[in-house]
Each structure stands twice: as structure tokens, then as C-alpha cells.
Amino acid sequence: MLLRNSLCLRLPTNFMRIHHCSSTLAVLLAPWSYILAYSNLQRGHQTFFKQNSLFSYATLSTRHYSMNVKDDELEQDDVVTSSPSPFASEYHNPVMCSECVDALLDAGPRKCEADEEQKRYPRIFVDGTLGGGGHSSALLERLEAGDLLLGCDVDPDALATASKRLELYQSHDGSTKPIFMPVSSNFCDLVSKLNEISHPHYPDQPISQLGVDGILLDLGLSSYQIDTAERGFAILQDGPLDMRMSQTAIGNGLTAADLCNEWSELELRRILKQYGDEPRNRPISRSIIEHRPLKTTQDLVKSVAAVVPKFNKQSRRKGLNATLARVFQSLRIVVNREDEVLEKMLLEVCPRLVRPAGRLVVMSYHSMEDRLTKRIMRDGTIGPVPAAKKDMYGNDMGPPKPWKTVIKRRKASDEEVANNSRARSATLRVAERN
């Protein structure tokens, strides 16, 4: 008996030596170490854990959990950001605020020379998703006199809230501080809108001709939109099943209730699978049809809850709350044509507006947006990329790509996620105009 127990005590020590010699082999052997350590605990060898805290129950449990991280949650060499944003308001708590502003301000200089009367050329930036004005407020604090920031949003509530918050920077000539202009527009229509707007220092040249130094797109919903039951985005509150960013008609003018009550089961399955990666798209679509008519958000919640358990032992992703988030997301994307709007913005609007060496900063919150952003920044297209033709020296002979990635994708820090749980799924990507 003593011999057997002494062997059990030595084995984890050997594993510790292996861990120092080869981290890969230690990870492979960690589950066996966990079994032996737990067996020792059952036999009353608690002193072993005091002397070998590396193989304690808590440590081994943490190691085992960390080995099950999803592949799509992290990329190699991800950069983790630092502190939470100090620019939060009741309307919205902006995510990775300082990181977005730093990326915009790192844009290279313009190639044209400054006017003789001015020491430098004024910078022009666009916040394409103004929301509560958190990112815009942070950027304006770091801009200089004469610089211009255009804040665009299709949501009239967001425009009113941000305009009131940033009224200090409005209605002046820019001689002593930066200028802020609110613009009521969907960001995919920016080219036509900026044809009608000029910088106060250059009244004869529209912004679309001058070009902008950077564009910021924060593709998530604001906290106000999520928490306001009347907007139809809230899962935990009852309200009309609307989900339109603007209460006026956008595109085809459909609401989420129209989709749930009029679309076929096959169409509902398609949007749940395409825009939500929903594994239960078939039973959920069938349940939505069986519970018609759906008029409120809680009607939709009940139809999903009828076929999805509240908790799932295998994965949190299959629980009710996570499933509801994907269903609401899928319907919201279709109602607001978010995929079409984002594609047009990244493929057509941004390359046309951003000057050479200017920056494109995009923060996405689900895989569809991030995949689209990544491909366009990397390849300049979402279609198949033809094989590159090279000359005899190995140089590419094809057309130049509009963007080059300058910063590896970033995730919010643990500290920021602890202060703002909605930052957990945010992914930041930055590209520079060629």
C-alpha cells in the first residue's frame, strides 16, 4: 500500500519536470495529471497540493477549460487592448474607444501642401455610426482647431442625443477648436451626402472632392437601442416586433414582425442559418410559423423557447439566451439590409472617400461582419481572388489593392469586458488606403 501511494505521489512530480522541458507534452498529459491528483485528494494526501500547487484542482480545471477555446474566437497574434472607455454615457458605452481614436489619428500626411495662410492642412474624419457620440467625443478632444468631424447616423434618436452632447463643437468657424457636423444618413449613402457638405475653410470644395483622413464604423447596436423596448431589439423586455434602425422605412420597409408572419419556413431557415449560424434553424422556423401571428418581442421569445431548452449541458451556445441573441440578430440584419449596406460601404464608399494613407477603422460584433471586413481589407473584394500574375522579378502585375492591413485584429481587454459585457464579442480591424 505504501509503495503504491508513493508512486502516485511521484508521478505528478515527473509531470512537472516534463512541463518545464516541453510545454506541448505537458498539455497532452495534463488530463492524466488531473486524474492522479484528484485520486490523491480522495486518499487524503492534501499535503501534496500544498507542495505542488501547480497541479492543484483549480489550476488543472482552468487548464482543461482553456484547451476548449473555440477556434473562431482567437487568431494567432491577437492584440488585447487595455483599459475601458471613459466616454460612456446613458445612451451608450463605446467599445475600445482609445484604440479606435489612435488608429484614426495614425493616418499618414496628405501629399498636397498646406495653403500659405495656414500652417497645416485641416484633417477631416467621418464617424459613420455616430450612436451616442462616445467615439466622436473622444476624437474631438484630440483634434486641433480647424479639423472637421462628420457624425453620420440613420437613427434620429442617436443624432439628437449626440448633437446635444457635442454642441460645444458646432456652429463655429473652427478658428479655436475642431468642428463637428451631424449628418442624417445611412453610411452607404455618404458619397451623395458629402457632395452637399464643405469644410468652412474650403466652401467651394465639397468633402467628397477633398477626401477624408479616416472613417470609423462601429457596427454594433447602442445600449439605448438594445435597452429600449419600443425599438424591438430587447430580448428581456416586451415591445413591438420592429427592429428598424429608423422608424421610417428603410429599403423595403419591412419590420421583424412582417418577416415572422409572412415569410415561408424555407426563407426563415435561410436567414437564421446565413446571418446567425443557427444550428436549430429548422425547428425554430417551424415554431415561429406555428405561433403566428407574432406581434411583440415576447411572442418571438416564446416561439423560440418552445423548441430550445433554457440550459444546455454540452454548450452555452445551444442554450436559450444565446439562441435568442442569434435569432434577433438574424432578423435585424435582414430588416435593415445590414449585409448589403456594409458591403456597399466597404467596397464602394470607403475607397472613394478615404484619401491615400488615410485610415479605415471597423469594429464588428459577429462573424458575418468580421469575415466581410477581413476579406475586403485583405483582398479588396468578396469574390474569388484570381491567382496573382508576377513579372520576371516576382513583382505583382495585377491591379493595386485599395487597402493594406496595418494593425492585427484586436479584442477588448478583460478589464473592459468586466466593465462592459457587450465588448466581449467586439473585433477591431484597421486598414490604410493605398
Side-chain angles (χ1 to χ4, degrees):
M1 179 68 70
L2 291 175
L3 179 60
R4 186 179 64 181
N5 288 343
S6 62
L7 287 175
C8 292
L9 287 172
R10 288 179 187 140
L11 281 173
T13 305
N14 293 333
F15 287 143
M16 189 185 301
R17 293 171 181 168
I18 294 173
H19 172 76
H20 288 295
C21 296
S22 174
S23 58
T24 303
L25 185 57
V27 169
L28 294 175
L29 295 175
W32 294 103
S33 302
Y34 167 78
I35 295 172
L36 289 172
Y38 184 77
S39 176
N40 284 327
L41 179 62
Q42 292 295 95
R43 292 185 175 93
H45 295 291
Q46 298 181 7
T47 55
F48 164 77
F49 292 98
K50 295 179 181 179
Q51 298 172 359
N52 300 276
S53 59
L54 179 65
F55 283 92
S56 67
Y57 179 84
T59 304
L60 289 168
S61 299
T62 304
R63 282 190 175 187
H64 180 70
Y65 176 78
S66 65
M67 291 165 62
N68 294 324
V69 176
K70 295 180 181 178
D71 292 337
D72 59 352
E73 290 181 357
L74 297 173
E75 284 185 4
Q76 187 176 4
D77 297 328
D78 274 355
V79 181
V80 179
T81 61
S82 54
S83 59
S85 168
F87 295 95
S89 65
E90 294 181 358
Y91 190 96
H92 183 57
N93 187 4
V95 177
M96 288 189 276
C97 199
S98 60
E99 290 80 4
C100 292
V101 173
D102 289 341
L104 288 170
L105 295 179
D106 283 341
R110 290 176 179 263
K111 293 183 179 180
C112 58
E113 295 182 356
D115 292 347
E116 295 180 0
E117 299 178 356
Q118 295 181 333
K119 296 181 179 180
R120 67 179 188 86
Y121 202 94
R123 292 174 293 180
I124 303 173
F125 293 97
V126 174
D127 186 347
T129 48
L130 180 61
H135 289 103
S136 290
S137 177
L139 181 57
L140 286 166
E141 284 194 3
R142 297 179 58 182
L143 293 181
E144 301 180 25
D147 292 341
L148 174 63
L149 174 61
L150 301 165
C152 304
D153 209 299
V154 73
D155 187 342
D157 292 338
L159 276 175
T161 301
S163 297
K164 183 177 180 180
R165 178 180 183 178
L166 304 174
E167 59 185 354
L168 176 67
Y169 300 97
Q170 302 178 56
S171 304
H172 64 93
D173 61 1
S175 59
T176 58
K177 54 190 174 184
I179 307 167
F180 172 74
M181 290 186 183
V183 180
S184 178
S185 172
N186 197 316
F187 54 62
C188 72
D189 300 322
L190 272 177
V191 174
S192 59
K193 279 289 182 178
L194 297 190
N195 278 329
E196 307 167 359
I197 301 175
S198 60
H199 193 288
H201 295 175
Y202 306 93
D204 298 331
Q205 287 184 284
I207 300 297
S208 57
Q209 291 184 11
L210 288 174
V212 301
D213 294 86
I215 294 179
L216 169 65
L217 300 176
D218 181 356
L219 304 178
L221 289 175
S222 68
S223 301
Y224 172 81
Q225 291 171 323
I226 296 175
D227 297 334
T228 304
E230 293 76 12
R231 302 300 300 272
F233 300 110
I235 296 175
L236 301 179
Q237 303 181 56
D238 198 14
L241 197 55
D242 194 325
M243 297 194 192
R244 289 177 295 176
M245 293 295 183
S246 172
Q247 298 301 318
T248 58
I250 298 177
N252 52 18
L254 289 174
T255 65
D258 295 330
L259 301 183
C260 292
N261 294 321
E262 297 176 11
W263 283 30
S264 67
E265 179 183 340
L266 186 61
E267 290 172 320
L268 291 174
R269 284 178 54 194
R270 179 185 64 81
I271 66 173
L272 292 177
K273 183 177 181 180
Q274 180 175 349
Y275 300 117
D277 296 325
E278 176 51 53
R280 293 194 182 95
N281 58 82
R282 184 190 296 269
I284 291 175
S285 301
R286 188 177 298 118
S287 181
I288 289 175
I289 292 176
E290 292 173 354
H291 284 78
R292 286 175 174 173
L294 280 67
K295 298 181 180 180
T296 68
T297 53
Q298 290 307 299
D299 291 339
L300 178 57
V301 169
K302 291 176 182 176
S303 67
V304 176
V307 292
V308 177
K310 187 173 183 179
F311 302 104
N312 188 285
K313 295 181 180 179
Q314 296 179 349
S315 172
R316 286 177 55 191
R317 187 175 184 271
K318 296 182 180 180
L320 179 59
N321 288 339
T323 301
L324 285 171
R326 292 192 296 271
V327 171
F328 273 66
Q329 168 188 295
S330 302
L331 295 174
R332 188 200 78 224
I333 290 174
V334 175
V335 166
N336 297 286
R337 302 183 299 116
E338 293 181 21
D339 56 335
E340 302 173 26
V341 170
L342 180 60
E343 182 178 331
K344 180 180 178 181
M345 179 67 179
L346 295 177
L347 283 176
E348 301 176 18
V349 177
C350 290
R352 182 170 176 180
L353 290 178
V354 180
R355 62 162 177 85
R359 289 295 179 91
L360 173 61
V361 180
V362 182
M363 189 152 49
S364 57
Y365 293 83
H366 60 82
S367 57
M368 185 205 75
E369 295 171 342
D370 187 50
R371 283 195 301 265
L372 182 64
T373 303
K374 179 181 177 180
R375 293 199 64 180
I376 292 176
M377 286 183 174
R378 182 190 64 193
D379 304 327
T381 180
I382 59 172
V385 181
K389 296 182 179 179
K390 299 182 180 295
D391 60 18
M392 60 184 299
Y393 301 104
N395 300 315
D396 291 334
M397 298 177 59
K401 296 178 181 179
W403 306 101
K404 64 177 179 180
T405 302
V406 292
I407 297 177
K408 294 174 181 178
R409 81 165 190 170
R410 294 190 175 186
K411 304 292 288 185
S413 66
D414 293 340
E415 183 183 0
E416 181 169 3
V417 171
N419 287 275
N420 180 12
S421 61
R422 289 167 182 163
R424 181 180 293 106
S425 57
T427 300
L428 179 65
R429 294 188 184 273
V430 182
E432 185 175 285
R433 187 75 166 90
N434 286 324

